[in-house]
Amino acid sequence: MSDNTSPDSSRPPLPDRLCIEPGSPHHVPAVFEHDVGIRFNGKERFDVTEYCISEGWVKVPSGKTLDRKGNPLLIQLKGKVEAFYK
């Protein structure tokens, strides 16, 4: 049982808002050293780029559409957001 609790104590707490883009002010590198999962409206999503738990939204790519800088075009979906360590 101590093996299960020791990795949890070394993990930083998950922030309310998190983004995978390194240039974002909501990017926390220490969190990405571990596997993070996002559950949106009860289903686990693997394509989430950014989330906010308190406001209840996630940003995901919109198909293969790109913006003018060549990045995926993101859409914001609203619902219940849960973040967790895998």
Side-chain angles (χ1 to χ4, degrees), residues 40-41 52 55-59 75-81:
F40 181 68
N41 288 338
C52 183
E55 295 177 13
W57 56 261
V58 296
K59 289 187 180 179
I75 58 172
Q76 184 172 331
L77 305 174
K78 296 188 180 226
K80 184 179 178 189
V81 180

Side-chain angles (χ1 to χ4, degrees), residues 27-82:
H27 180 78
V28 182
V31 170
F32 291 107
E33 293 176 1
H34 310 283
D35 284 336
V36 177
I38 303 296
R39 195 172 294 117
F40 181 68
N41 288 338
K43 295 182 180 177
E44 189 171 359
R45 301 272 316 229
F46 301 99
D47 59 347
V48 175
T49 303
E50 187 174 356
Y51 74 81
C52 183
I53 296 173
S54 63
E55 295 177 13
W57 56 261
V58 296
K59 289 187 180 179
V60 296
S62 174
K64 295 181 181 181
T65 309
L66 301 176
D67 66 6
R68 62 184 175 177
K69 295 180 181 177
N71 299 321
L73 189 64
L74 302 176
I75 58 172
Q76 184 172 331
L77 305 174
K78 296 188 180 226
K80 184 179 178 189
V81 180
E82 300 172 57

